[in-house]
Amino acid sequence: MAVAMIVLRYNGDRNLWCQVDSFFKRGSPLKVTKEKAAENRAALVQAAAHLFRERGIDGVGVAEISKTAGLTHGALYAQFSSKEALAAEAFASAFKGGLEQIRADLDGHPATLTDFLDWYLSFDHRNGLATGCPMSASASEVGRQDKVVSERFTEGFGQLVAVMERGLGASPVKAENRQRALAMMAAMIGGVAASRAVAKADPKLSNEILRAVRRIVGEVGGEGGQDDGARGRERARRKHAHGLRAAGVR
């Protein structure tokens, strides 16, 4: 529009025409490079992933997401066609980050069923709403979102069920391994959500919920045949090693 006004006001002044011609040859100074666009997208996804887990998908608007990312509405809609599209990518990003964090906490050792249960049903995970698993943070509202959000949730759920199934041990529960893994993952998501829901009103009950789900899920998963003392010592060793790494001690 501004360029059109300049052209309309052209009255034969050759210098003015040269300025307009130079503008088109340079290109608009507002043009965003591919690198900057990728940087903007990453900032939006990171901001959305944090805010959606902390306050819920419906509890956060695009204006706040844009502001948190240090961008404008226009930058957001240049990257995503809708809030739902952003929510889907934010969910996938948060889920991927969670898996990477689990691996980082294991001191280079492959994750076991016990490692996974200890992390997911921990007080730290319950308290870290904005940085924890997006499934336990968003399960209750995903069913009200668009299909694309449900698809990302389904993909993440399937991946965790597969992780669970590979780590199952012998159990007195008479069910197929996949059934056990499905039930365990659903119980874990619901357990963390319920523990969070009552935490402010009854912290003791919140802790009891986590401990109860941890014990029952562990039994269903086949942990009963393991040496609880040895398992506890190994967990303590790994936690200590991770604490040293975080403090910069090698």
Side-chain angles (χ1 to χ4, degrees), residues 6-178:
I6 291 174
V7 173
L8 288 173
R9 291 176 61 185
Y10 170 61
N11 60 2
D13 186 334
R14 182 175 179 80
N15 289 332
L16 178 59
W17 178 255
C18 289
Q19 293 175 20
V20 174
D21 183 57
S22 176
F23 176 89
F24 281 110
K25 287 180 179 179
R26 287 198 313 268
S28 171
L30 299 179
K31 183 178 180 180
V32 177
T33 65
K34 290 183 178 180
E35 292 77 12
K36 185 60 177 177
E39 182 181 320
N40 289 348
R41 188 180 189 90
L44 289 165
V45 169
Q46 182 178 9
H50 183 96
L51 290 171
F52 286 153
R53 282 177 288 178
E54 183 179 49
R55 304 223 303 273
I57 298 174
D58 292 332
V60 182
V62 294
E64 185 171 2
I65 295 171
S66 301
K67 182 179 179 180
T68 301
L71 299 168
T72 64
H73 279 77
L76 188 151
Y77 284 115
Q79 297 285 346
F80 299 96
S81 59
S82 65
K83 179 182 175 182
E84 290 74 20
L86 172 58
E89 187 162 330
F91 183 95
S93 176
F95 178 79
K96 179 180 178 182
L99 287 181
E100 292 174 349
Q101 184 62 48
I102 295 173
R103 297 189 185 100
D105 286 347
L106 295 179
D107 196 24
H109 297 286
T112 65
L113 177 63
T114 295
D115 292 323
F116 183 56
L117 300 187
D118 284 346
W119 168 74
Y120 206 94
L121 295 168
S122 67
F123 297 152
D124 285 344
H125 184 213
R126 176 199 59 196
N127 297 339
L129 183 62
T131 57
C133 175
M135 289 192 293
S136 56
S138 307
S140 63
E141 61 177 335
V142 167
R144 296 189 293 272
Q145 304 300 318
D146 284 0
K147 182 181 178 182
V148 65
V149 181
S150 179
E151 288 174 343
R152 299 294 84 76
F153 184 98
T154 302
E155 290 171 1
F157 185 84
Q159 290 179 49
L160 288 186
V161 167
V163 170
M164 300 276 284
E165 190 172 356
R166 288 194 296 270
L168 292 178
S171 170
V173 176
K174 303 301 181 182
E176 297 177 354
N177 283 355
R178 177 165 173 78

